[in-house]
Amino acid sequence: MHDVAVMSYGEAIREALDDALAKYPEMILIGEGVPDPKNIFGTTQGLREKYGSERVLDMPLAENGMTGICIGAALAGMRPVLVHQRIDFALLSIDQLVNNAAKWHYMFNGQQQVSLVVRVIIGRGWGQGPQHSQSLQAMFAQVPGLRVVMPTTAGDAYQFMLDAIADNNPVLFIEHRWLHPIKGEVDKTRSSAELVGASLLRRGNDITLAAFSHMSIEALKAATVLARHGVEAEVLDMRCLTPLDVDSVVRSVAKTGRLLVADCAPEMASMGHQLLSALFQSHSQRLRQAPRLIAYPNHPVPTSHFVANHYYPGAEEIAAKVLDMLDRQPLKEAVMLELQNDLAKDLPDRSFTGPF
Amino acid sequence: MHDVAVMSYGEAIREALDDALAKYPEMILIGEGVPDPKNIFGTTQGLREKYGSERVLDMPLAENGMTGICIGAALAGMRPVLVHQRIDFALLSIDQLVNNAAKWHYMFNGQQQVSLVVRVIIGRGWGQGPQHSQSLQAMFAQVPGLRVVMPTTAGDAYQFMLDAIADNNPVLFIEHRWLHPIKGEVDKTRSSAELVGASLLRRGNDITLAAFSHMSIEALKAATVLARHGVEAEVLDMRCLTPLDVDSVVRSVAKTGRLLVADCAPEMASMGHQLLSALFQSHSQRLRQAPRLIAYPNHPVPTSHFVANHYYPGAEEIAAKVLDMLDRQPLKEAVMLELQNDLAKDLPDRSFTGPF
Amino acid sequence: MAQATYDLKQLYYQMLRIRRIEEAIAARYAEQQMRCPTHLCIGEEAIAVGVCAHLTTNDKVFSNHRGHGHYLAKGGNLPRLLAELYGFAEGCCGGRGGSMHLTDLAAGFIASTPIVAGTVPLAAGYAWAEQMKKSGAAQGCASVARGRMPEATAAQGCASVAGGTAPRMEEVGRSRKPEPRMPEAANVVVIFFGDGCFEEGVMHETLNFATLKKLPLLFVCENNQYSVMTPLVERQPNRDIYKIAAAHGLQAMNGDGNRVDQVYALAQAAIANARAGLGPQFLELYTHRWPEHCGPNEDDKLGYRRPGELAAWKLRCPLLQARQGLLDSGLSHEAELADMETALVEELEQAFQWAQQGSRPSIDSMGRHLYA
Amino acid sequence: MAQATYDLKQLYYQMLRIRRIEEAIAARYAEQQMRCPTHLCIGEEAIAVGVCAHLTTNDKVFSNHRGHGHYLAKGGNLPRLLAELYGFAEGCCGGRGGSMHLTDLAAGFIASTPIVAGTVPLAAGYAWAEQMKKSGAAQGCASVARGRMPEATAAQGCASVAGGTAPRMEEVGRSRKPEPRMPEAANVVVIFFGDGCFEEGVMHETLNFATLKKLPLLFVCENNQYSVMTPLVERQPNRDIYKIAAAHGLQAMNGDGNRVDQVYALAQAAIANARAGLGPQFLELYTHRWPEHCGPNEDDKLGYRRPGELAAWKLRCPLLQARQGLLDSGLSHEAELADMETALVEELEQAFQWAQQGSRPSIDSMGRHLYA
Ligand SMILES: Cc1ncc(C[n+]2csc(CCOP(=O)(O)OP(=O)(O)O)c2C)c(N)n1
Ligand SMILES: Cc1ncc(C[n+]2csc(CCOP(=O)(O)OP(=O)(O)O)c2C)c(N)n1
Ligand SMILES: [Mg+2]
Ligand SMILES: [Mg+2]
């Protein structure tokens, strides 16, 4: 029996939080703005009214302290979900996340556990600038003991949020802000993905696109247009960072022989390196040509949209790189034309009028 | 004219701090324990007496605040050198390092600068355990705007410290605690390396060992014994993490055709991935066989020396892997025998009797 | 120590100028040309003005996300602020920072940034360096803004960059606030921050160090009782912020942040103390933000404020109160105040005109200045 | 609320036990079998003992790097502490933590860890959860130590693991402190920390939240005036720590941490308040550490203490003072006190014997328990 509904990524998260609050009396949902009228871009709407202000609450501006407090509550049997509207703020709490949350179960030899979910939002646009739109996922993904996921579809967002809350480990749940309005199918009866594995978004034989978070959307856009021109790209959504599902990529490149990785982070901090390095050590012979990585430049993003708009690679850059790799440059002009649209590059969609 | 002296790595750092304090009236040296009787394992000895308690000072336990305070002082024209006895404590200050220090010059369009050196010590041994002996270098190396160096030799330690203090950017200076007692030549007249470039520690034609920090010492040990058995390894010390000197590795593997990377960090946080990925994308054809990476396991280090001693790969593991790669397994027994020694694996040298 | 002259008219004018600038920004925000998060300080002008009235350009100011008022009150260049909001190369930050990253080194406004509490320890570090320079501990140390100032964005370059039609920046750029003269006294550093910021641990770390070193530093807490839309009562227990600072050993006072005369008097005492080497000072000033937390609109309809709260604060408008004082005391009269408005309309028109003629930063420039 | 009986003899015995244990560890440290950083609490025993005397096993304790005394005073298992120092599988942490990571969930000692201030917010979070459970906000929530307890390290497993020769852990493992009975009152959580820890920002963040939520939490600041070898005067201005807590809205008191009767009395009041729902409590207690910061030796020769400082504190030894009180008041006599020593010699011998027979954790086990 299926129970499929179409909803946005943001709604899927709200739905998962709602269902989890109903299911786990020990769950609490806390964060700056959680119960305010804008309720984390709508993702916590109505939850305080439904579950009470003891379980759904705001908090002081004290990221490290509140993370530690949530860890302590988890040790006492609670399941806190802590929200940061921007991953940049989570930097203040990295001490508690790395020194305590990630290590506690190991360090105390399995006698205690920290079932904590930390929701963080990454993103771009409308001049959020150098301190308010970083892409720090690799900084967390390298920490043994943290689970780090960045689901791309509404369906995964729902399922991963439920799985993360059920999980007895600290989970960093990373949402790209621009995914929030994107609709998808949510199947509440789907069984748990257990926070592992890449997801196959599109089949193709010519090249593998392994993409992270919002870059999977861009990769899909590129693949759709490329297909009209006879180039079939396979798109893998690398939705779990730890562990990284290298095997799925290996299987895919065994078929396609070509790999382009697309990450939404600066090159120096790209999880793509981890993926490529793993492939290089064990499966480089499966590739017909050297793989490529598309990522952001190695500097902060400036605020001015005049330049920031050129900071972020997207479907066009992916398609261009694919055509280069396949030596199909003559297709470029037509493909680029089809990929163009008139939406300003610093807006997630037409409904947005700023500021974030 | 050369002015070469033999001294330990720790002495070389003290010497560089002394020379820099004399040279830059705007330099200050601050950190928990800097002027205390143990003076950061001897590396700040006598400096308070020589330069006064305004410039050489202790500080409150407030890593983030004090980092911000040093950044502010740098904005006003000072050159602070801030010391953390363990990199684990620097996690508390990552907000200031990443959000402010690393971005300030860029963010304010070149109008201001942060000449700040942060000395952090990584290491192992004597049961320092999960929270006191982490190897977090990759977490910092991925941050655009920070320079991250981890010199291995006494000569580099001296030169890099002077260069770091002269540099007008934030520099994270990472010392492996076990390097401190190792002696080497310090040439004070050597010209600046400008904090870039790998260093060739040993020539060889059979395989390239690209190693980080203390792993370079282990790689050298392995190479020395291997040479007695006719295997000539080239050893590159990857002393600068940002930028990573991929070119030197490319040149070396062009000759050897084989690459083993040895990092002193868990596999998930290995800078080796960055290196391998870069090679894969551009120069994989230079390799005769798939490269390999030796790193720590993906979990915290336990305190008990009975197990912790098996956490850290060293010369033996490097030599064994080299012989595997070269298909010279029959040499293993003899090589291992020569590499063995009776020093307990949780001690840096015989003089050490704990605790750190 | 020389004493700044109390001049309510000047204070009123500075507040009015900030108000009109913020209103003008709000009015134009919907044009979608200022594409960056923008936190207006309407309703809170008295604090920036009353404090900065006591500062020379040798004194430094650090600020936060809600920084326009601090920047302007400190004498920050207006056209360059506006150009910054538009993302132009002539912006005070070359377009790289937008509303949340302001700087005007020539005016002694070092920086505002939006990580809450991020600039708090920086201000202390700056004050510490000033103290060391004064004590001779760091004699010979390099000058303040050692970074290479790129030509296109150097303050002196404004007029030429903007071309012939724009007014000369020397005329419209600087706030016309008179500078108090205090030649031999120590420079002070001021850090402006909010009630929410006080919850961050780094604040406590900074209070401790500032007191330990007796820094010439003034903490100004703009307690508007909200952090975004979250009222104080959900974030802090019922006790006074300034008393925590006092317990740390600072000289701490509180007062009405909507009365510019009161802010002026409190700041005068605090800054005199700081200059005199009596150590860090702390002011907690109560006020209220009128517009939404971030963006150009009013948002009272969202219902996060208590009913009638905003209206009551509007009755206590800092401008209204100062204006009443001026008229009641005969220090000014309607016609003079109307002239102020006219002058401001003109200044603003010129400033916007200049700013909107800015040039787009080149795409090639994007990678520059990662390293100094 | 039920009142714990004041029993100076018991308090003295607990202190003596901690002292003898620490001394025994120090004496054996040079054998190089306890290969981990070890921070002894000799000279500071009165605080742990005077506070923990008021706690039941339902009350929880969090601690720091200098945790042996807190662990033992809370009833933590001694042989498993020692096995932990030796790095054996039978250690309270399976050998994974050593001296700086202690836990005994059965005794209500949740954890000590060595990142300064790292456990401070954890204690508040724990207290918050206790409060929510009590209020019914989180009814039906799972029990405290939900982690799977691995067989080889489960507390009940001790005796069997240790083999036939070792004494039964139930007998030697638990401190013999009498449990105060207070059935219906709220559980409290206690966090022990040092004067250096108070400098960390997260302390301030925790004080704020604890007061905001009126948590049943007791902060105990062991002010020994040093952080490693750095005296207070280089780290904090001249003001009282507890007054900062008071300014945060906590009920805060200070007292002599070397007088166990005074600690006992202060803790009694504070814990009663916390149980009664009056919100978080704060005690600043003055004391002095005798040995080096980390390691088994004295280090007065290093000269970081003021001349005569250590000697003066030794005259104010908490054991000496309590002993004098017992003898002067006739509550005890030399012979009884000598019996205590004898009993402790025996307990220690058995405990060390058991601990030293521990088994090495298997190398295969090293990767286990990364994820729950
Ligand atoms: C470390 C951090 N946490 C959260 C935020 C999001 N944020 C931006 S402004 C703000 C409110 C700050 O309140 P307050 O300090 O009182 O200043 P106000 O906006 O009221 O002037 C918050 C929570 C941030 N920018 N930085
Ligand atoms: C965050 C952090 N900074 C520094 C250290 C190093 N360190 C360990 S114990 C200690 C002293 C702590 O002093 P205090 O809190 O007064 O406790 P005491 O040792 O005096 O009992 C320091 C600085 C650490 N472990 N963690
Ligand atoms: Mg506020
Ligand atoms: Mg202390």
Side-chain angles (χ1 to χ4, degrees):
Chain A
M1 212 197 72
H2 284 272
D3 174 12
V4 179
V6 172
M7 61 181 83
S8 74
Y9 186 98
E11 286 161 351
I13 286 174
R14 205 214 70 93
E15 199 74 11
L17 293 173
D18 194 347
D19 291 351
L21 279 161
K23 182 167 176 188
Y24 302 104
E26 73 271 26
M27 175 181 156
I28 47 183
L29 179 59
I30 182 169
E32 293 160 17
V34 159
D36 81 16
K38 295 202 176 161
N39 34 65
I40 317 287
F41 314 112
T43 62
T44 58
Q45 197 178 351
L47 299 177
R48 166 170 266 190
E49 293 67 30
K50 199 160 168 187
Y51 299 99
S53 60
E54 278 203 81
R55 292 181 62 201
V56 179
L57 67 165
D58 218 300
M59 68 180 209
L61 297 198
E63 288 77 7
N64 205 32
M66 293 311 305
T67 302
I69 283 164
C70 286
I71 294 170
L75 293 177
M78 309 299 288
R79 290 186 186 272
V81 176
L82 172 62
V83 194
H84 298 294
Q85 299 214 10
R86 292 186 159 87
I87 199 171
D88 315 67
F89 311 155
L91 280 179
L92 281 114
S93 69
I94 210 165
D95 157 50
Q96 283 292 337
L97 286 174
V98 174
N99 285 327
N100 283 346
K103 295 182 177 51
W104 204 267
H105 184 67
Y106 182 92
M107 190 154 82
F108 287 102
N109 204 26
Q111 296 173 77
Q112 303 182 45
Q113 65 191 32
V114 178
S115 359
L116 168 69
V117 179
V118 180
R119 272 183 69 190
V120 291
I121 296 170
I122 60 172
R124 57 184 258 205
W126 201 265
Q128 291 170 93
Q131 287 188 337
H132 268 46
S133 52
Q134 293 172 77
S135 302
L136 301 165
Q137 49 269 27
M139 197 173 269
F140 296 95
Q142 68 175 241
V143 180
L146 278 186
R147 287 194 194 285
V148 181
V149 297
M150 36 196 321
T152 301
T153 66
D156 281 350
Y158 177 84
Q159 189 65 57
F160 277 36
M161 183 57 81
L162 274 188
D163 288 348
I165 294 166
D167 201 279
N168 290 329
N169 300 287
V171 180
L172 193 74
F173 188 100
I174 305 179
E175 307 158 28
H176 193 294
R177 177 71 181 83
W178 285 24
L179 295 173
H180 276 198
I182 301 178
K183 283 194 193 317
E185 291 191 349
V186 172
D187 176 359
K188 289 203 176 187
T189 61
R190 203 179 95 183
S191 65
S192 157
E194 304 202 327
L195 306 178
V196 293
S199 150
L200 182 66
L201 295 185
R202 187 185 193 286
R203 285 184 204 282
N205 288 320
D206 296 329
I207 187 167
T208 301
L209 303 179
F212 292 86
S213 187
H214 186 258
M215 273 303 218
S216 299
I217 303 291
E218 298 292 328
L220 266 183
K221 270 191 225 163
T224 308
V225 173
L226 285 168
R228 288 188 219 136
H229 296 269
V231 175
E232 294 292 344
E234 180 143 313
V235 179
L236 281 174
D237 176 22
M238 307 304 294
R239 57 192 184 167
C240 300
L241 299 193
T242 50
L244 202 55
D245 183 6
V246 179
D247 291 346
S248 290
V249 180
V250 168
R251 270 194 302 279
S252 178
V253 297
K255 178 174 68 173
T256 64
R258 291 190 177 83
L259 174 63
L260 173 60
V261 178
D263 201 352
C264 50
E267 179 270 332
M268 270 161 65
S270 171
M271 286 303 293
H273 289 307
Q274 186 99 6
L275 177 58
L276 289 173
S277 170
L279 278 175
F280 194 16
Q281 291 176 61
S282 49
H283 301 281
S284 61
Q285 74 291 356
R286 308 220 174 187
L287 288 180
R288 262 181 262 164
Q289 70 184 104
R292 289 281 175 270
L293 169 67
I294 286 187
Y296 304 166
N298 281 330
H299 57 74
V301 64
T303 294
S304 173
H305 60 104
F306 296 121
V307 269
N309 286 347
H310 299 269
Y311 181 84
Y312 298 103
E316 296 179 40
E317 287 73 16
I318 293 171
K321 185 73 83 184
V322 166
L323 294 175
D324 280 342
M325 289 176 75
L326 294 171
D327 225 355
R328 305 282 291 275
Q329 287 88 350
L331 290 177
K332 259 192 202 174
E333 203 173 337
V335 167
M336 291 304 131
L337 213 64
E338 289 180 47
L339 278 170
Q340 263 171 32
N341 73 46
D342 62 348
L343 179 64
K345 275 207 150 197
D346 63 342
L347 303 181
D349 60 27
R350 270 171 226 292
S351 69
F352 184 87
T353 56
F356 277 104
Chain B
M1 210 197 71
H2 283 272
D3 173 13
V4 179
V6 173
M7 62 181 82
S8 74
Y9 186 98
E11 286 162 351
I13 286 174
R14 205 214 70 92
E15 199 73 12
L17 294 172
D18 192 347
D19 291 351
L21 280 161
K23 183 167 175 189
Y24 302 104
E26 73 271 26
M27 174 181 158
I28 47 183
L29 178 60
I30 183 170
E32 295 159 16
V34 159
D36 81 16
K38 295 201 176 163
N39 33 66
I40 318 286
F41 314 113
T43 61
T44 58
Q45 199 178 351
L47 299 176
R48 167 170 265 189
E49 293 68 29
K50 199 159 168 188
Y51 298 98
S53 60
E54 277 202 82
R55 292 181 62 201
V56 179
L57 68 167
D58 219 301
M59 67 180 208
L61 298 198
E63 287 77 6
N64 206 32
M66 292 311 304
T67 302
I69 283 164
C70 286
I71 294 170
L75 292 177
M78 310 298 289
R79 290 186 185 272
V81 176
L82 172 62
V83 193
H84 298 294
Q85 299 216 11
R86 293 186 158 87
I87 200 171
D88 315 68
F89 311 155
L91 279 179
L92 282 114
S93 68
I94 210 164
D95 157 50
Q96 283 292 337
L97 286 174
V98 174
N99 284 328
N100 283 346
K103 295 183 177 50
W104 205 267
H105 184 68
Y106 183 92
M107 191 152 82
F108 287 103
N109 204 25
Q111 296 174 77
Q112 305 183 43
Q113 64 191 33
V114 177
S115 357
L116 167 69
V117 178
V118 181
R119 272 183 68 190
V120 291
I121 296 171
I122 59 172
R124 57 185 258 205
W126 202 266
Q128 289 169 96
Q131 286 188 338
H132 268 46
S133 51
Q134 292 172 77
S135 302
L136 302 165
Q137 50 268 28
M139 198 173 268
F140 297 93
Q142 67 176 241
V143 180
L146 277 187
R147 287 194 194 285
V148 181
V149 296
M150 37 197 319
T152 301
T153 65
D156 281 351
Y158 177 84
Q159 190 63 59
F160 277 37
M161 183 56 81
L162 274 188
D163 287 349
I165 295 166
D167 201 279
N168 289 329
N169 300 287
V171 180
L172 193 75
F173 188 100
I174 305 179
E175 308 158 28
H176 193 294
R177 178 69 181 86
W178 286 25
L179 296 173
H180 276 200
I182 300 178
K183 283 192 192 317
E185 290 190 351
V186 171
D187 176 358
K188 290 203 177 187
T189 62
R190 204 179 94 184
S191 66
S192 158
E194 303 202 326
L195 305 178
V196 292
S199 150
L200 182 66
L201 295 186
R202 187 185 193 285
R203 284 184 203 282
N205 289 319
D206 295 329
I207 188 167
T208 301
L209 303 179
F212 293 85
S213 188
H214 185 258
M215 273 304 217
S216 299
I217 302 291
E218 298 291 327
L220 267 183
K221 270 191 223 162
T224 308
V225 172
L226 286 168
R228 288 188 218 136
H229 296 268
V231 175
E232 294 292 342
E234 179 142 314
V235 179
L236 281 174
D237 175 22
M238 306 303 294
R239 57 193 185 167
C240 299
L241 300 192
T242 49
L244 202 56
D245 183 5
V246 179
D247 290 346
S248 290
V249 179
V250 167
R251 270 195 302 278
S252 178
V253 298
K255 179 174 68 174
T256 64
R258 290 190 176 83
L259 175 64
L260 173 61
V261 178
D263 201 352
C264 48
E267 179 271 331
M268 270 161 65
S270 172
M271 286 302 293
H273 289 306
Q274 187 99 7
L275 177 58
L276 289 173
S277 170
L279 278 176
F280 195 16
Q281 291 175 62
S282 49
H283 301 281
S284 61
Q285 72 291 356
R286 308 220 175 188
L287 288 180
R288 263 180 263 164
Q289 70 184 106
R292 289 280 174 272
L293 169 67
I294 287 187
Y296 305 166
N298 281 331
H299 57 73
V301 63
T303 294
S304 173
H305 60 104
F306 296 120
V307 269
N309 286 347
H310 299 268
Y311 181 84
Y312 298 103
E316 297 179 40
E317 287 73 15
I318 293 172
K321 186 73 81 185
V322 167
L323 294 174
D324 281 342
M325 289 175 75
L326 294 171
D327 224 356
R328 305 282 292 275
Q329 287 87 350
L331 290 177
K332 257 192 200 173
E333 204 173 337
V335 167
M336 290 305 130
L337 212 65
E338 288 179 50
L339 277 170
Q340 264 172 32
N341 73 45
D342 61 349
L343 179 65
K345 276 208 148 196
D346 63 341
L347 304 181
D349 59 27
R350 271 172 225 292
S351 70
F352 184 86
T353 56
F356 277 103
Chain C
M1 205 203 75
Q3 189 94 337
T5 341
Y6 179 102
D7 181 343
L8 186 58
K9 211 191 310 181
Q10 260 303 331
L11 296 175
Y12 175 72
Y13 171 73
Q14 293 296 329
M15 293 197 294
L16 186 69
R17 182 168 178 267
I18 293 171
R19 172 74 55 94
R20 294 294 172 254
I21 292 168
E22 294 288 66
E23 286 169 349
I25 291 169
R28 285 166 169 90
Y29 197 83
E31 293 166 5
Q32 306 231 335
Q33 302 302 312
M34 295 184 258
R35 298 168 88 88
C36 58
T38 302
H39 304 76
L40 303 177
C41 69
I42 294 176
E44 311 188 355
E45 298 89 346
I47 299 176
V49 168
V51 170
C52 290
H54 302 285
L55 304 178
T56 75
T57 49
N58 287 330
D59 299 316
K60 311 298 182 201
V61 162
F62 284 82
S63 157
N64 60 1
H65 55 287
R66 199 174 305 288
H68 298 182
H70 311 138
Y71 172 96
L72 293 166
K74 187 65 175 61
N77 183 298
L78 169 62
R80 295 168 72 74
L81 162 65
L82 299 178
E84 187 62 36
L85 299 183
Y86 283 108
F88 286 133
E90 293 78 7
C92 59
C93 211
R96 286 196 172 175
S99 164
M100 307 194 296
H101 300 261
L102 305 178
T103 184
D104 187 336
L105 295 177
F109 183 92
I110 303 296
S112 62
T113 63
I115 294 289
V116 170
T119 50
V120 171
L122 271 58
Y126 208 109
W128 184 36
E130 295 284 80
Q131 186 190 57
M132 283 189 275
K133 286 182 211 167
K134 195 152 175 282
S135 79
Q139 238 145 25
C141 103
S143 81
V144 170
R146 285 178 313 167
R148 299 167 218 117
M149 175 99 68
E151 307 71 44
T153 61
Q156 352 22 321
C158 274
S160 58
V161 169
T165 54
R168 286 173 51 81
M169 279 311 101
E170 298 83 84
E171 281 155 31
V172 307
R174 302 277 159 211
S175 137
R176 268 161 281 171
K177 135 182 117 60
E179 288 245 326
R181 278 173 310 151
M182 35 198 77
E184 41 338 52
N187 297 333
V188 298
V189 179
V190 178
I191 170 72
F192 290 99
F193 58 94
D195 49 304
C197 177
F198 193 80
E199 294 152 15
E200 291 285 358
V202 78
M203 171 62 65
H204 165 100
E205 297 179 353
T206 307
L207 290 172
N208 181 60
F209 186 79
T211 318
L212 177 68
K213 296 289 177 193
K214 289 202 194 318
L215 299 181
L217 178 61
L218 171 61
F219 293 85
V220 180
C221 179
E222 303 179 316
N223 185 346
N224 63 10
Q225 289 133 80
Y226 286 90
S227 163
V228 192
M229 288 171 269
T230 311
L232 256 183
V233 66
E234 296 213 30
R235 302 179 283 113
Q236 296 181 24
N238 186 15
R239 45 83 201 126
D240 286 311
I241 286 176
Y242 78 98
K243 287 189 183 154
I244 296 177
H248 271 281
L250 288 89
Q251 295 186 293
M253 293 179 284
N254 65 341
D256 184 344
N258 277 22
R259 292 269 312 270
V260 74
D261 51 347
Q262 197 175 121
V263 174
Y264 183 91
L266 288 168
Q268 184 164 45
I271 290 172
N273 288 342
R275 287 197 205 285
L278 299 184
Q281 310 286 313
F282 194 100
L283 295 181
E284 181 183 5
L285 300 167
Y286 309 103
T287 186
H288 192 77
R289 148 180 66 76
W290 295 5
E292 58 188 341
H293 165 70
C294 177
N297 305 305
E298 292 229 344
D299 67 348
D300 207 26
K301 62 181 181 305
L302 292 180
Y304 64 87
R305 293 179 175 94
R306 287 187 306 278
E309 187 179 14
L310 179 58
W313 278 100
K314 284 194 172 177
L315 289 179
R316 304 192 47 244
C317 171
L319 277 71
L320 220 59
Q321 296 190 72
R323 182 188 169 90
Q324 206 56 55
L326 285 172
L327 296 177
D328 290 354
S329 63
L331 280 169
S332 188
H333 46 83
E334 293 284 1
E336 192 181 36
L337 299 181
D339 284 351
M340 283 188 191
E341 295 278 5
T342 317
L344 283 172
V345 168
E346 203 168 307
E347 184 192 0
L348 265 162
E349 203 158 296
Q350 289 189 348
F352 268 100
Q353 197 184 326
W354 183 82
Q356 286 168 330
Q357 287 168 9
S359 50
R360 303 178 172 203
S362 75
I363 296 161
D364 294 348
S365 76
M366 183 166 61
R368 266 181 233 155
H369 299 310
L370 180 61
Y371 293 112
Chain D
M1 203 205 74
Q3 189 94 340
T5 340
Y6 180 99
D7 182 344
L8 185 58
K9 210 191 310 183
Q10 260 302 329
L11 297 175
Y12 174 71
Y13 172 72
Q14 293 297 328
M15 294 198 294
L16 186 68
R17 182 167 176 267
I18 294 171
R19 171 73 55 94
R20 295 294 172 254
I21 292 168
E22 293 289 67
E23 286 169 349
I25 291 168
R28 285 168 170 87
Y29 197 82
E31 294 166 4
Q32 305 230 337
Q33 302 303 310
M34 293 183 259
R35 298 168 87 88
C36 59
T38 302
H39 304 76
L40 303 177
C41 69
I42 294 175
E44 311 188 355
E45 298 89 347
I47 298 175
V49 168
V51 170
C52 290
H54 301 285
L55 304 178
T56 74
T57 49
N58 287 330
D59 299 316
K60 311 299 182 201
V61 162
F62 284 82
S63 157
N64 60 1
H65 56 287
R66 199 175 305 289
H68 297 182
H70 311 139
Y71 173 96
L72 292 166
K74 187 64 174 62
N77 183 298
L78 169 62
R80 294 169 71 74
L81 163 64
L82 299 178
E84 187 62 33
L85 300 183
Y86 283 109
F88 286 134
E90 292 78 6
C92 60
C93 211
R96 286 197 172 174
S99 164
M100 308 194 295
H101 300 262
L102 303 178
T103 184
D104 187 336
L105 295 177
F109 183 91
I110 304 295
S112 62
T113 62
I115 293 289
V116 170
T119 51
V120 171
L122 272 58
Y126 208 109
W128 183 36
E130 295 284 80
Q131 186 188 58
M132 283 190 276
K133 286 182 210 167
K134 196 150 172 285
S135 80
Q139 238 146 25
C141 103
S143 81
V144 170
R146 284 179 313 167
R148 299 167 218 116
M149 175 98 69
E151 306 72 44
T153 61
Q156 352 21 320
C158 275
S160 59
V161 169
T165 55
R168 286 173 54 79
M169 279 313 99
E170 298 81 86
E171 281 155 31
V172 307
R174 301 280 160 211
S175 135
R176 267 160 281 171
K177 139 182 113 61
E179 290 245 325
R181 278 172 312 154
M182 35 200 75
E184 25 5 34
N187 297 333
V188 298
V189 178
V190 178
I191 170 73
F192 289 99
F193 58 95
D195 49 306
C197 177
F198 193 80
E199 295 152 14
E200 292 284 359
V202 77
M203 170 63 65
H204 166 99
E205 298 179 351
T206 306
L207 290 171
N208 182 60
F209 186 79
T211 319
L212 177 69
K213 295 290 177 192
K214 290 201 194 318
L215 299 182
L217 177 61
L218 170 61
F219 293 85
V220 180
C221 179
E222 303 179 315
N223 185 347
N224 64 10
Q225 288 133 81
Y226 286 89
S227 163
V228 191
M229 288 172 269
T230 311
L232 255 182
V233 66
E234 295 213 32
R235 301 179 285 113
Q236 297 181 25
N238 186 15
R239 43 84 200 124
D240 286 311
I241 286 176
Y242 78 97
K243 286 189 185 154
I244 297 177
H248 271 282
L250 289 89
Q251 295 184 294
M253 294 177 284
N254 66 341
D256 185 344
N258 277 22
R259 291 266 316 267
V260 74
D261 51 346
Q262 197 174 120
V263 174
Y264 183 92
L266 288 168
Q268 184 164 47
I271 290 171
N273 288 342
R275 286 196 206 285
L278 299 184
Q281 309 287 313
F282 193 100
L283 295 181
E284 181 185 5
L285 301 166
Y286 308 103
T287 185
H288 193 77
R289 147 179 67 75
W290 295 6
E292 58 189 340
H293 166 70
C294 177
N297 306 305
E298 292 228 342
D299 68 347
D300 207 26
K301 62 181 181 306
L302 292 181
Y304 63 86
R305 294 178 175 92
R306 287 188 306 279
E309 187 178 13
L310 178 58
W313 277 101
K314 284 193 173 179
L315 290 178
R316 304 191 48 243
C317 171
L319 277 71
L320 220 61
Q321 295 190 74
R323 182 188 169 90
Q324 205 58 52
L326 285 172
L327 296 177
D328 289 355
S329 63
L331 280 170
S332 188
H333 46 83
E334 293 284 1
E336 192 180 36
L337 300 181
D339 283 350
M340 282 188 190
E341 297 277 4
T342 317
L344 283 173
V345 168
E346 202 169 307
E347 183 192 0
L348 266 163
E349 203 157 298
Q350 289 189 350
F352 268 101
Q353 197 183 326
W354 184 82
Q356 286 169 330
Q357 286 169 9
S359 50
R360 301 178 172 202
S362 74
I363 295 161
D364 293 349
S365 76
M366 183 165 61
R368 265 180 232 154
H369 300 309
L370 179 61
Y371 293 113

